[in-house]
Amino acid sequence: MIHGGAGALANVDDDKTAVRYLDSIHRILEYGREVLELGSSALQAVETCASLLEDDPIFNAGCGSVLNEFGKVEMDAAIMDGRDLAAGAVAAVESIANPIQLARFVMTESEHVMLISEGAMHFADHCGIKRTPIDYFYTPERLAQFNEARANKKIMLDHDDTQAGSEDQKYGTIGAVARDLKGNLAAATSTGGIVNKRMGRVGDSPIVGAGVYADNETCAVSATGYGEDFMRSVFAKTISDFIYMKGMDAESATQAGIEYLQRKIKGRGGAIVVDKQGRCAKGFTTKKMIHGWIEHGGKSMVGF
Ligand code: GLY
């Protein structure tokens, strides 16, 4: 399963834009299928799919990342292996084309779970990951979005509680969850965060248990939405706990997680989930969520 963000997504009412999103989701899903059918691990599949989503500028991650209050890109990402709960994460990184790949290096090549900002980029140099020129991240759409916000003095207003996280906002994040032929689970989440966020703000995406979680005994989860809500509700782990504690399947655990998010804090966003039996589920409190899935090797399904 993969997702490309949640929100009001008014732009997908335009057929051309909708087709552009769905084509990309479909292409990346099919790529993920091939990776898994060739016998690669769930971990490899989620890293590959997340990297492809990061490479497509229509999604808010990697090269399509939104800009912060100073017009800069600061990206967060995390990856988790359900076999042993190994995890790697990076936060507030720039000049890295695929933060999800750096997150995997943190998991495999360091003794830590999360590295941030300059330290993470120093570690990228150490791992041989090349810095990407900053121009790569400044897509015309993101610059226009930022300039419009500046012209309307929305930068400050967007930090106001009543406006931050309004339903009009697209909570862009990308994510992937997978179960491989051996029954192993993995999850990956990556994002540019929220438009006009304060410099140094870190969302849920790189936080294990909030925006990402994977445990072979339960499920793999990737969330998308207003990060602060998912951090406060420990959203991804909550869904996993419904399976671990109550023996639910992916569908009922996801709905229980969404109900908890909504009831406790009116949380905004959603998640994709695959459980240990390979059952897929999705849930969201926003109007839409861009997503797609292939269950038990069947036909690929895409939608909002
Ligand atoms: N869910 C993405 C973020 O809040 O940064």
Side-chain angles (χ1 to χ4, degrees), residues 36-54:
L36 288 169
E37 284 183 355
L38 285 170
S40 293
S41 65
L43 193 67
Q44 189 55 49
V46 297
E47 182 188 334
T48 302
C49 287
S51 297
L52 291 170
L53 288 158
E54 288 175 335

Side-chain angles (χ1 to χ4, degrees), residues 150-294:
R150 275 229 301 212
N152 295 328
K153 298 197 193 313
K154 275 170 65 183
I155 287 178
M156 295 314 294
L157 287 175
D158 274 355
H159 292 308
D160 185 273
D161 278 343
T162 56
Q163 298 210 20
S166 76
E167 178 72 358
D168 289 343
Q169 197 166 357
K170 174 179 170 292
Y171 305 117
T173 298
I174 63 87
V177 294
R179 177 180 179 272
D180 62 29
L181 292 171
K182 293 182 177 156
N184 295 312
L185 300 176
T189 307
S190 179
T191 189
I194 288 179
V195 189
N196 297 326
K197 64 185 179 181
R198 285 192 189 277
M199 185 170 68
R201 177 265 189 188
V202 174
D204 62 305
S205 304
I207 310 286
V208 169
V212 68
Y213 199 71
D215 178 354
N216 272 8
E217 279 194 66
T218 58
C219 62
V221 183
S222 173
T224 168
Y226 192 58
E228 281 70 4
D229 294 344
F230 292 138
M231 291 153 90
R232 292 165 62 210
S233 60
V234 199
F235 183 64
K237 179 68 160 65
T238 297
I239 291 178
S240 170
D241 282 350
F242 276 119
I243 296 180
Y244 189 73
M245 313 272 186
K246 300 208 165 193
M248 292 183 178
D249 63 9
E251 179 62 35
S252 32
T254 304
Q255 292 319 316
I258 289 288
E259 188 277 329
Y260 179 80
L261 179 75
Q262 178 84 29
R263 181 171 52 80
K264 295 294 278 188
I265 53 171
K266 292 194 176 15
R268 294 144 292 179
I272 53 170
V273 180
V274 60
D275 69 19
K276 61 186 172 186
Q277 273 95 22
R279 290 172 296 215
C280 297
K282 62 182 191 297
F284 42 97
T285 63
T286 46
K287 288 193 183 123
K288 297 186 179 86
M289 179 175 78
I290 306 164
H291 65 279
W293 74 95
I294 296 171

